[in-house]
Amino acid sequence: MRIDILTLFPEMFACVLNTAIFKRATERENVRINVHNFREYTHDRHHTVDDYPYGGGAGMVLKPEPLFEAVDAIKTETQGEGVQPVPVILLSPQGRLFSQQVAAELARQSHLILICGHYEGVDERVVEHLATDEISIGDYVLSGGELAAMVVADAVVRLVPGVLGSDVSAIDDSYATGLLEYPQYTRPPEYQGWSVPEVLLSGNHAIIARWRREQALFRTLKRRPDLLDRANLSEQDKRLLSKK
Ligand code: SAM
């Protein structure tokens, strides 16, 4: 997978992209991430990327030309690499809400372009004629799209086949199954008088799997009952939940 990120603050990505899963994914060549400063696609002496909003008001608005040119340059460079049209995703508090399902959908693409807005946001022509998708990471306003792009890229990259080692798996993660994940424990078996549940020490994989499913169901019922309406539940799951 290739991810191109357009930003005015490429330095914000350096540490994140050189650490942990991102580092491993790029070293193993499962993922290539390019960060571009779209200020480089300006042609005036001052490299202007923003301007006052028409109609007045506070703040500055990102001009359309550098963003259109940057996306064009990436598409020209990658022409012929993939058959699908490349999703051009604008990070925006007004976009569709990001979720594990959206991450899984994006992880099936071979190429993504992420645009980070700033200031008061971007000229609406970018929204209407350049972006093919708008994604919000939550109902709050960040000062720029950089942190949102990192969140999206992280959640997507860990779902790309081969990125997580066999020691880590996304299969049982919260939301992947439609439920929250079961509780996890590690050594020591007892700490300050708090014990690890006996069942996890039993070595009986069938009983452990059943216990984990129950815990995931009960935890979801307690913390996020809204998820149960959409979860894929067996008859046994439903019986268990009805007793609670
Ligand atoms: N004036 C805009 C509005 O009210 O919708 C908010 C602009 S915000 C200060 C600047 C940039 O941060 C946005 O263009 C977007 O790229 C990014 N951003 C802010 N909140 C975000 C969120 N919840 N999810 C994704 N991106 C966000």
Side-chain angles (χ1 to χ4, degrees), residues 60 62 90-97 115-122 134-149 152:
M60 301 296 271
L62 288 172
L90 175 68
L91 282 313
S92 162
Q94 303 180 19
R96 63 179 172 136
L97 212 49
I115 301 179
C116 306
H118 220 84
Y119 312 121
E120 272 309 301
V122 301
E134 280 180 88
I135 289 182
S136 164
I137 62 158
D139 293 344
Y140 42 80
V141 176
L142 302 164
S143 37
E146 286 72 18
L147 293 172
V152 169

